[in-house]
Amino acid sequence: MNDSLMVSEISEVERAEFYRKTYMHVALAILAFGAVESILLKVVPMEMILSMMSGKYTWLLIIGVFWMVSMLATKLSFSVSKTTQYLGLGLFVLIQAVIFLPMLGIATLYAPEIITQAALVTVFMFAGLTAAVFLTNKDFSFLRNIIVIGGFVALGVIVVGAIFGFNLGLWFSLAMVALASASILYETYNIKNQYSKGQYVGAALQLFSSIMLLFWYILRIFLSRRD
């Protein structure tokens, strides 16, 4: 059958296969992220890792690069060519590993058990949100505008915070957990309704991105409790 057909238009068997491929690629992306992160933590000096957190303009540069690479990776992941799709997913995994390096470096140095705790909370929240979409069959497409507006507001707050050096605090992290949760609901809804049969790599990238956003802010919350 044509890969351009929407998931909602294909048979139950083909739909189940699309879901299997999508979530398998999400799992592989998470495993690849863990592997790359482990290598980076071993080869990059801790002084360099900590300097990424202390330099406000360095952090702004990282955010800018992340934004551009994310857009490029997303575009590549929806290419007709499967090779290009995997290139996009791999590029996104790599940039996520670099972004996470400072915070995971600090957690590894001072409280390594927090990483496992934050990962478990992320997994349980992701499982619950996914179940909510698949079991209720509700329309979560209305979340798109909330996520877009919330994303731009959050980016603006992060940039201003980095420039003027103020702590965004617990409430901002909780708000971002809510935004990431909404993103997971929206992307899971899209997996059921909006993607075509051949777009499982792109769907996996979008879902992986939302999971990593959730993990980032849950980890921040756990770390803030150690201060």
Side-chain angles (χ1 to χ4, degrees):
M1 187 174 286
N2 195 326
D3 279 356
S4 64
L5 286 177
M6 302 300 292
V7 173
S8 57
E9 299 173 337
I10 59 181
S11 68
E12 290 290 337
V13 173
E14 290 175 312
R15 199 174 302 151
E17 179 65 10
F18 174 82
Y19 297 154
R20 185 190 69 79
K21 288 180 178 179
T22 299
Y23 285 95
M24 180 186 72
H25 281 79
V26 172
L28 289 174
I30 292 172
L31 290 174
F33 167 82
V36 173
E37 198 69 55
S38 297
I39 293 170
L40 290 176
L41 287 170
K42 289 179 180 177
V43 301
V44 179
M46 187 56 66
E47 295 78 11
M48 184 180 296
I49 293 174
L50 296 177
S51 69
M52 292 173 68
M53 295 293 285
S54 59
K56 62 181 180 181
Y57 295 112
T58 301
W59 192 238
L60 284 176
L61 176 62
I62 291 173
I63 292 173
V65 171
F66 171 73
W67 189 266
M68 290 186 291
V69 173
S70 295
M71 291 191 294
L72 174 61
T74 300
K75 184 175 181 180
L76 292 176
S77 68
F78 286 106
S79 169
V80 175
S81 167
K82 283 290 187 291
T83 302
T84 306
Q85 290 180 28
Y86 283 112
L87 175 62
L89 182 58
L91 184 62
F92 191 77
V93 168
L94 179 61
I95 195 65
Q96 283 283 359
V98 173
I99 291 292
F100 268 83
L101 186 59
M103 190 156 58
L104 286 176
I106 291 172
T108 302
L109 194 61
Y110 297 109
E113 72 280 359
I114 282 180
I115 299 174
T116 302
Q117 294 168 6
L120 287 174
V121 171
T122 302
V123 168
F124 283 120
M125 286 188 66
F126 170 67
L129 293 166
T130 301
V133 177
F134 278 94
L135 296 179
T136 64
N137 290 319
K138 288 186 177 180
D139 185 348
F140 289 98
S141 60
F142 71 93
L143 291 172
R144 182 181 183 278
N145 289 337
I146 296 173
I147 294 166
V148 171
I149 295 171
F152 277 110
V153 170
L155 182 62
V157 172
I158 291 169
V159 170
V160 171
I163 292 174
F164 294 102
F166 60 81
N167 193 330
L168 298 179
L170 177 62
W171 288 109
F172 180 78
S173 293
L174 290 172
M176 291 304 295
V177 166
L179 185 65
S181 298
S183 182
I184 290 172
L185 288 172
Y186 176 68
E187 291 302 337
T188 305
Y189 170 80
N190 283 346
I191 286 171
K192 287 185 63 182
N193 299 278
Q194 301 299 320
Y195 288 104
S196 68
K197 181 184 174 184
Q199 290 182 320
Y200 51 86
V201 177
L205 184 148
Q206 297 300 317
L207 195 52
F208 172 71
S209 175
S210 299
I211 294 169
M212 297 311 292
L213 180 64
L214 180 62
F215 178 51
W216 173 275
Y217 282 100
I218 289 175
L219 185 58
R220 274 185 62 115
I221 291 170
F222 274 82
L223 281 172
S224 68
R225 294 171 58 193
R226 302 282 301 191
D227 295 339

